[in-house]
Amino acid sequence: MRFKSLKGIQDILPPETYIWQHLEHTSRKVFEKYGYKEIRLPIIESSDVFTRSIGETTDIVEKEMYTFPDKGNRSITLRPEGTAPFVRAFVQHHLYNEPSPQKYYYMGPMFRYERPQAYRYRQFYQIGTEALGTEDPKLDIEVISMLANILKKIGLKKFTTEITSIGCKECRPHYKTALKKALKNKLNDFCEDCNRRYEFNPLRLLDCKVPSCVKARTVAPAIIDFLCAQCTHHFETIKHNLELLNISYVVNPNLVRGLDYYTRTAFEVTSEALGSQKAVAAGGRYDRLVKDFGGPPTPGIGFAIGIERIIPLIKKSIVHDVYPDLFICSLGREASDRGFIMTEQLRNRGLWVEMNYDELSLRSQMRKADRIKAKNVIVLGEDELKKGKILIKDMQNKKETEVALETEEILKAVSNKK
Ligand code: ATP
Ligand code: MG
C-alpha cells in the first residue's frame, strides 16, 4: 500500500531543514537579547479556548478549525494559532505574577482547514511572541522593532511593515455604527458571509477576501478617523518612535486582523515577492484577552511569523556548506571492523566521519566520498593494518599526509586542517 501526506500538509526535507534551523536559531538569538523566554505549549486544546477568544464569527472559528471529539467526547481542537493557548497558560500558571513586562516566544505547527495553495497550508509553522503587562506604546514599539530585526537578521531583504490602530472599547463602537451606516445600502454587493457578519461583526467585512467585497467596501470609512484621544495618542507615539528608530512603516487604515481579540495596534509585514499570500508576519495588541480568560486585567501584544512564507524568500541567500571531515574507505572484513571503531571514536571526539557499512569496491566507496563532498579520505586495507600507517588524502588539494594508524593521530591531522 502506498501512502501520501494529507492534502495541504507537507514534509520538510533536507537541505531545506537547514534553512529552517537558521531561521529558528537566528530568531532565538534576537529573542534572548530582548529578554523573551521560550514557552512550549500543547498542540491540542479544549475547543472553547479558541471559540471564545478568536471570535465565533471569524474565518478561523467558522471555517478553519480542525475540531473533533476525543474518546471521552470532549471537543478538541488542533491549535490554529498561538495566542489563545498562550493566554490560557499565562492565566493557568499565574505568569502575571512574574516581573512585568512578561515576555515569551514560541515556535511550532499550527493547523487550519484552508484551501491549500501556494504558501497556504493546512499545517504550517509559526514563530511567535507575546509581551504583556503594560499598555505603554513602548512595548508596541519594542515588539514591532524586534520583528523587523529578526526579519533583517534572517536575511529578508525587502519587506513592508504595515501598521494601524483599530481602537478600543470606547471608540470602536462609534466606528462600527458609522461602518454599518456606510455599507447599509451596498449589502447586495457583498458575499453571503459578509451579509451575515454585518449584524454580528461588521469589522469582518473589511477583512473578507472575496473580490466583489473588496471592491464594495471602498466606500467604508477608515477606523483611524474614529480613534478616541487615548488611542490617537498611543498610535502617534508608536509612529513617532518607529521613525526615531529608523524603522520604516506604512499606515494601512484597511488592515483588519482576522481575530476578534485585538485592540489598538494591529500590524502586518508583507512581501510583494509572495503574490497574493503576501503576509509573512502579523500581530497586534490584545488588552482584554487575559481578563476574558479569567486572569487579572493585563494588556498584551504579540505577533506570529509564518515560516513557510519566509523560506522561499531567503532560500537563495543561505548556503549550507557543511561536509564530512573524513570518509573511511575500507577493504576487507578486518579493515571494515577497525574502521568502524575508529569512526565511532572520531565522532565522539568531534569530527564528522562517514564510512560505508556494506562491502563495496574501492571505486564505489571513492565515488560516494566524492558525492557527499568529504573533505578527507583514508583507505584502510590489509597493507595499512600490517604497517600501522595510513595516508590521509585532502580532497581539495589532493595532498596526502602519512600518519600512524591511531585514532589520536588521525584526529590531530584532520583537526589541524579544519
Ligand atoms: P492570511 O491573511 O494570509 O490568511 P492570517 O491573517 O490568517 O493570514 P495570522 O492568523 O495573522 O494569519 O497568522 C500569522 C502569519 O501566519 C501570517 O501572516 C502568515 O505568514 C502565516 N499563516 C497564516 N495562515 C497560514 C497558512 N494557512 N499557511 C501558511 N502560513 C500561514
Ligand atoms: Mg487566514
Side-chain angles (χ1 to χ4, degrees):
M1 197 185 297
R2 282 188 157 236
F3 294 109
K4 281 200 170 153
S5 57
L6 297 171
K7 199 174 159 197
I9 296 189
Q10 43 166 14
D11 301 307
I12 319 291
L13 309 174
E16 191 153 303
T17 38
Y18 292 112
I19 307 173
W20 284 64
Q21 286 173 2
H22 155 79
L23 212 148
E24 289 158 3
H25 179 70
T26 310
S27 319
R28 278 181 203 281
K29 286 210 327 223
V30 179
F31 288 141
E32 273 168 26
K33 297 286 177 280
Y34 279 86
Y36 286 64
K37 298 177 188 148
E38 185 176 9
I39 186 161
R40 299 197 183 198
L41 299 163
I43 283 169
I44 58 173
E45 295 275 352
S46 171
S47 300
D48 40 13
V49 167
F50 304 106
T51 45
R52 298 245 185 98
S53 57
I54 297 174
E56 307 265 4
T57 51
T58 57
D59 271 1
I60 294 184
V61 171
E62 276 188 334
K63 306 180 195 157
E64 299 174 359
M65 292 212 303
Y66 275 93
T67 296
F68 53 89
D70 73 359
K71 291 203 164 79
N73 235 0
R74 299 169 199 91
S75 181
I76 305 288
T77 295
L78 296 182
R79 61 180 187 193
E81 57 107 40
T83 302
F86 167 79
V87 173
R88 194 265 309 135
F90 186 81
V91 173
Q92 182 176 337
H93 303 288
H94 314 289
L95 298 180
Y96 41 78
N97 289 331
E98 297 290 315
S100 159
Q102 298 92 13
K103 308 198 271 196
Y104 298 90
Y105 76 89
Y106 58 83
M107 310 183 168
M110 305 294 159
F111 303 83
R112 294 186 195 174
Y113 197 78
E114 302 202 67
R115 193 168 68 78
Q117 47 193 298
Y119 314 123
R120 191 177 288 288
Y121 306 100
R122 289 183 173 172
Q123 174 172 339
F124 61 98
Y125 288 75
Q126 286 185 339
I127 297 180
T129 62
E130 312 294 347
L132 301 95
T134 175
E135 266 187 44
D136 196 292
K138 284 202 186 67
L139 194 62
D140 308 51
I141 299 156
E142 168 182 309
V143 163
I144 296 170
S145 140
M146 180 171 73
L147 173 58
N149 256 325
I150 291 174
L151 296 175
K152 276 187 220 152
K153 289 224 161 70
I154 58 185
L156 196 67
K157 299 228 165 56
K158 265 191 167 166
F159 58 85
T160 310
T161 302
E162 301 179 16
I163 62 169
T164 192
S165 174
I166 52 172
C168 64
K169 66 173 190 312
E170 303 302 325
C171 49
R172 207 182 305 166
H174 300 300
Y175 174 68
K176 275 190 189 170
T177 312
L179 179 67
K180 283 178 89 165
K181 208 170 138 202
L183 301 182
K184 195 171 179 176
N185 298 325
K186 285 229 150 204
L187 283 176
N188 284 343
D189 302 335
F190 282 91
C191 69
E192 226 173 87
D193 279 345
C194 279
N195 269 279
R196 198 164 31 82
R197 291 167 186 150
Y198 178 82
E199 282 310 322
F200 308 104
N201 203 345
L203 248 66
R204 291 264 69 78
L205 273 69
L206 302 174
D207 196 33
C208 181
K209 294 189 175 85
V210 174
S212 53
C213 300
V214 176
K215 201 168 149 218
R217 68 174 174 243
T218 47
V219 295
I223 196 162
I224 42 176
D225 296 331
F226 286 78
L227 299 180
C228 62
Q230 284 95 327
C231 286
T232 304
H233 176 69
H234 193 266
F235 190 44
E236 290 302 320
T237 312
I238 293 173
K239 289 194 295 183
H240 177 64
N241 280 277
L242 288 177
E243 275 151 38
L244 289 182
L245 288 169
N246 259 334
I247 297 178
S248 45
Y249 68 87
V250 293
V251 173
N252 176 359
N254 296 322
L255 192 69
V256 191
R257 309 281 308 112
L259 309 109
D260 274 357
Y261 53 64
Y262 284 124
T263 45
R264 291 191 169 164
T265 316
F267 54 99
E268 212 163 83
V269 175
T270 54
S271 165
E272 291 305 323
L274 288 175
S276 54
Q277 262 61 252
K278 63 182 186 157
V280 295
R285 210 169 231 295
Y286 48 86
D287 290 346
R288 296 193 318 261
L289 198 54
V290 175
K291 187 162 175 275
D292 288 351
F293 270 85
T298 313
I301 178 164
F303 67 73
I305 302 174
I307 300 189
E308 286 85 351
R309 296 193 188 172
I310 306 271
I311 300 289
L313 301 175
I314 59 169
K315 212 171 185 166
K316 284 205 188 99
S317 59
I318 314 276
V319 248
H320 181 78
D321 53 357
V322 187
Y323 304 110
D325 297 304
L326 180 68
F327 191 95
I328 301 182
C329 300
S330 64
L331 297 166
R333 175 100 254 141
E334 202 187 333
S336 170
D337 291 351
R338 177 77 181 271
F340 179 63
I341 301 287
M342 280 189 346
T343 299
E344 279 296 290
Q345 288 171 337
L346 289 166
R347 285 171 175 166
N348 278 313
R349 301 296 302 274
L351 289 191
W352 177 6
V353 185
E354 295 290 343
M355 77 174 288
N356 211 69
Y357 294 156
D358 301 315
E359 279 204 28
L360 279 182
S361 69
L362 181 58
R363 230 179 105 183
S364 307
Q365 293 186 62
M366 289 301 285
R367 209 182 296 136
K368 184 162 166 184
D370 228 32
R371 233 187 117 183
I372 63 172
K373 299 201 172 94
K375 289 187 249 172
N376 298 281
V377 172
I378 60 177
V379 179
L380 185 54
E382 262 176 45
D383 249 19
E384 285 73 17
L385 288 175
K386 225 185 285 158
K387 281 197 273 176
K389 295 217 150 107
I390 192 138
L391 287 173
I392 302 177
K393 184 168 181 180
D394 183 317
M395 298 304 278
Q396 209 162 29
N397 58 21
K398 306 289 173 204
K399 271 196 194 142
E400 293 184 315
T401 322
E402 192 177 55
V403 298
L405 182 56
E406 300 289 343
T407 301
E408 285 307 313
E409 293 300 310
I410 296 172
L411 175 72
K412 233 192 284 165
V414 173
S415 307
N416 276 345
K417 292 194 282 167
K418 253 185 158 183

